[in-house]
Amino acid sequence: MRLVLRGPTGQDVVLELDAELPFMMLKALAEEDIGVSAGEMVISKGTQQLSGDEVSLQEMGLKDGDVLTVSTTEIQSLLQGLSQVKAPKSKLRQSAEELVASMTDNPYALSLLKQNNPKLAEAVEKRDWASMEQQLKELNEARRRREQEMERHRRALEANPFDMEAQRMIEEQIQLENVERARQDALEFMPEAFGSVVMLYINVKVNGVPLKAFVDSGAQMTIMSGACAERCGLMRLVDRRFQGMAVGVGQQKIIGRVHMAQIEIGGDHLPVSFSVLENQPMDILLGLDMLKRHQCIIDLQQNRLVIGSSGNSTPFLSEAEIPKSDREDRLKQQLQGQQQGQQQGQQQHTQSSSSSSATGQQGASAPKYSDDDVAQLMALGDFTNEQVVHALRMTDGNVELAAQFLMQQAFS
């Protein structure tokens, strides 16, 4: 049998051997030609290391023409040590691990991250390291772009600090720094301000039908949806002479008024009147008229609604007990109210500047926002450029209101 032995320095040695020879004879014969002592010699076939000095070459599975690799025990030890060396972690991986560690023992921080950046929070929960590294990389790039933009502004200001436009930019930069400082302080000392507030709902019954009523001391009258009135069998009592339009956050048609009905709250059966609205999203809303009539107390310390006329009370519902549709509809109403207020302010501004109204309307139709504002809002969470521009358009370019708009939209 002819075997080719390739030594550590790359030289090839061809040996003609009997297939019945033991493996130790192969080492002894190759010792002089290879230049490695038999005791230090390690022979491999491909990736398999051969062993067993008393085993014959045939029993080892060696065949005529096989090429064997010869190395030393010292080289093998060195290679084994190198294979056990772990590659250094990237900075992004270290940041991802630090983020996971900070969220593991802090469920409140995780819930806050879910509101501000749900995609990153999902990656943290699933331990999806690749997704976390990618998102952290995008956030770092957005921050770097903001810093570059700020540096560009700074150089422009230093070039001509007494220019009127430069003075305006300085004032705007100081204002943004103050706003950002206030936001950072709020995140550190009052993080709950960035969470959602659970609205006040209670369990009630109208004509024996169980309902979840929204307690709203800011509403002038108690209202019920037309669909809820149908379920409670009150449509036959609706006085349609009281039809009209309810104006507040948007407009809704008033079908009529139920002058007298009975509502059960915490074991008390109380008389109440309803205005029935055609497209009211919530089943029933207890307004200030009903709360004052029965001397109700909103006890936030005990989280209960106290019926002053009887002394009984009922607990407010937890967020999990509130119908999801009610939460979403309430959020939509709040966003519509913010948009309506911004639109009214924009109309008043247009009317007060009659000499430049045409120009102002043209500018409003195609507003342009600074890259710094857009990048700053995109960094708040997993928001696209289109979402940020839409939020700025809805809030007339106000960055703080746009941030609130995006957070509420993400929560919904």
Side-chain angles (χ1 to χ4, degrees):
M1 141 183 333
R2 172 181 290 184
L3 298 177
V4 178
L5 278 70
R6 183 159 296 162
T9 58
Q11 78 275 24
D12 290 344
V13 175
V14 179
L15 296 178
E16 293 282 350
L17 302 171
D18 186 352
E20 299 297 329
L21 285 177
F23 184 58
M24 61 183 298
M25 288 300 298
L26 171 63
K27 289 184 178 181
L29 293 172
E31 181 176 8
E32 183 176 353
D33 295 327
I34 296 296
V36 178
S37 65
E40 296 291 326
M41 190 178 298
V42 177
I43 301 178
S44 303
K45 180 183 178 181
T47 58
Q48 180 183 3
Q49 185 173 321
L50 304 178
S51 62
D53 289 345
E54 303 298 331
V55 181
S56 69
L57 301 180
Q58 186 174 6
E59 290 174 344
M60 280 192 170
L62 298 180
K63 299 177 182 178
D64 185 47
D66 282 349
V67 178
L68 306 179
T69 304
V70 180
S71 64
T72 64
T73 55
E74 183 180 359
I75 293 176
Q76 291 297 317
S77 299
L78 180 61
L79 292 175
Q80 185 177 3
L82 290 175
S83 64
Q84 295 176 353
V85 176
K86 296 182 178 180
K89 296 180 180 178
S90 65
K91 291 184 178 180
L92 287 174
R93 181 57 182 266
Q94 292 177 1
S95 299
E97 292 181 352
E98 291 173 0
L99 177 62
V100 170
S102 65
M103 296 293 169
T104 301
D105 300 326
N106 192 343
Y108 184 81
L110 182 59
S111 65
L112 190 61
L113 182 63
K114 287 181 179 179
Q115 295 180 26
N116 295 337
N117 195 333
K119 188 175 180 181
L120 181 57
E122 182 182 2
V124 170
E125 288 184 319
K126 294 181 177 180
R127 300 298 192 269
D128 188 346
W129 301 108
S131 178
M132 275 189 280
E133 290 178 19
Q134 178 63 28
Q135 293 179 65
L136 289 174
K137 179 181 178 181
E138 293 174 358
L139 291 174
N140 289 337
E141 289 176 352
R143 183 173 64 250
R144 185 164 56 251
R145 287 195 298 269
R146 290 199 308 272
E147 292 174 351
Q148 291 173 352
E149 183 68 16
M150 291 178 63
E151 179 64 19
R152 186 179 66 81
H153 285 173
R154 186 185 64 80
R155 288 197 298 267
L157 295 177
E158 290 178 350
N160 190 2
F162 298 103
D163 180 69
M164 290 298 295
E165 180 64 18
Q167 289 293 314
R168 186 193 64 77
M169 292 174 63
I170 291 174
E171 180 183 1
E172 181 179 349
Q173 184 174 353
I174 292 174
Q175 181 183 3
L176 289 175
E177 290 175 355
N178 291 336
V179 170
E180 179 61 20
R181 189 179 300 110
R183 190 181 74 88
Q184 294 293 339
D185 289 343
L187 281 171
E188 181 177 0
F189 300 110
M190 196 174 59
E192 65 275 6
F194 293 87
S196 62
V197 177
V198 180
M199 307 307 288
L200 303 179
Y201 281 79
I202 59 173
N203 286 319
V204 301
K205 288 184 179 180
V206 177
N207 276 2
V209 178
L211 302 170
K212 298 187 186 300
F214 175 53
V215 180
D216 188 358
S217 61
Q220 185 178 9
M221 59 185 180
T222 297
I223 59 178
M224 176 181 283
S225 68
C228 182
E230 288 278 4
R231 296 203 310 270
C232 297
L234 296 178
M235 288 302 293
R236 59 188 175 81
L237 299 178
V238 174
D239 187 347
R240 298 184 182 273
R241 294 174 297 178
F242 285 79
Q243 290 183 0
M245 295 298 296
V247 180
V249 180
Q251 294 184 350
Q252 294 188 31
K253 181 182 178 181
I254 300 176
I255 299 175
R257 184 175 178 84
V258 177
H259 296 295
M260 178 69 74
Q262 193 176 75
I263 185 171
E264 182 181 346
I265 303 177
D268 289 339
H269 294 79
L270 307 173
V272 65
S273 58
F274 300 104
S275 291
V276 182
L277 273 62
E278 188 175 47
N279 295 319
Q280 167 64 16
M282 289 174 288
D283 284 340
I284 179 172
L285 183 149
L286 304 182
L288 190 60
D289 57 343
M290 183 268 179
L291 298 176
K292 290 187 70 173
R293 182 181 299 118
H294 299 289
Q295 303 172 13
C296 296
I297 301 171
I298 298 175
D299 189 346
L300 298 181
Q301 184 177 22
Q302 300 297 327
N303 199 38
R304 304 180 72 85
L305 178 69
V306 181
I307 311 300
S309 57
S310 66
N312 292 332
S313 64
T314 185
F316 291 117
L317 303 182
S318 65
E319 185 175 6
E321 297 174 293
I322 299 174
K324 184 179 179 181
S325 59
D326 282 9
R327 297 200 300 268
E328 293 176 349
D329 290 333
R330 189 65 181 172
L331 179 61
K332 290 178 182 177
Q333 288 182 353
Q334 292 174 352
L335 294 178
Q336 289 172 2
Q338 291 181 358
Q339 295 172 15
Q340 185 177 7
Q342 291 296 331
Q343 291 170 359
Q344 291 176 352
Q346 186 174 359
Q347 290 173 358
Q348 294 174 358
H349 176 73
T350 304
Q351 293 173 357
S352 64
S353 55
S354 57
S355 62
S356 58
S357 60
T359 305
Q361 290 173 0
Q362 291 175 359
S365 64
K368 301 184 75 173
Y369 308 106
S370 70
D371 295 339
D372 191 27
D373 290 344
V374 173
Q376 179 182 357
L377 291 171
M378 288 178 66
L380 292 176
D382 187 26
F383 303 120
T384 63
N385 184 275
E386 290 77 11
Q387 290 174 318
V388 169
V389 172
H390 175 68
L392 287 168
R393 187 181 298 115
M394 289 295 100
T395 57
D396 196 23
N398 189 306
V399 178
E400 292 182 75
L401 289 178
Q404 295 179 12
F405 180 91
L406 289 169
M407 293 302 181
Q408 290 174 332
Q409 195 174 46
F411 178 72
S412 66

